[in-house]
Amino acid sequence: MAVVTQYATGRRKCAVARAWVTGTEGDITVNDKPLEKAFPRLTLRQIIQLPLEMAGLMGKYSISATVYGGGPTGQAGALRHAIARALVAMTPATRGPLKKEGLLTRDSRVKERKKYGQKGARKRFQYSKR
């Protein structure tokens, strides 16, 4: 029996993640590094592993991913999105719990652009009466 591999893309802020989920038991590698080296913070690792926990498939799949752009939080969110999409493509029964948790929806919040005549996106220059 051939090993099934599923590919999916996830995005968050400026980060883009490409994930290959393979039907063999294994670990998660990000940019050819183990998950612990790629994301040293525990909270980011928990964000990434959330789709596997919600689907009840922890340790059943091997995941290889490439992530670029943005910062660590955006990259973790993008990888979570990619893993969730790949799991649904592999096992359609996981769609219900993942959708209920909101893991299949792209988080569209991005940084607001700076406006001219202002110090930032919302902040104005200080008003001087005299």
Side-chain angles (χ1 to χ4, degrees):
M1 187 166 145
V3 177
V4 180
T5 301
Q6 187 63 47
Y7 167 79
T9 306
R11 293 181 182 86
R12 166 90 166 91
K13 292 187 177 181
C14 290
V16 179
R18 300 182 305 164
W20 289 267
V21 178
T22 309
T24 59
E25 291 184 26
D27 54 348
I28 301 172
T29 58
V30 181
N31 295 340
D32 296 324
K33 291 187 259 184
L35 185 65
E36 291 75 26
K37 292 269 187 191
F39 292 95
R41 288 192 357 221
L42 177 65
T43 53
L44 297 180
R45 290 197 303 265
Q46 289 172 340
I47 287 171
I48 292 167
Q49 293 171 343
L50 188 64
L52 295 167
E53 290 175 19
M54 289 294 130
L57 300 171
M58 200 67 168
K60 294 211 167 76
Y61 289 111
S62 177
I63 299 169
S64 177
T66 59
V67 186
Y68 60 91
T73 307
Q75 287 183 353
L79 188 52
R80 180 181 79 171
H81 187 220
I83 291 170
R85 289 172 79 176
L87 286 176
V88 168
M90 280 189 97
T91 53
T94 60
R95 182 172 172 82
L98 293 178
K99 184 137 177 89
K100 184 180 176 194
E101 202 64 30
L103 300 177
L104 297 176
T105 307
R106 185 206 191 280
D107 193 350
S108 61
R109 296 175 295 169
V110 293
K111 187 172 182 176
E112 193 175 335
R113 68 172 287 262
K114 180 196 173 298
K115 278 75 168 193
Y116 58 87
Q118 295 181 15
K119 198 170 178 74
R122 302 281 175 100
K123 187 170 182 174
R124 313 290 204 271
F125 288 117
Q126 187 170 353
Y127 171 72
S128 175
K129 192 170 183 179
R130 286 179 191 88

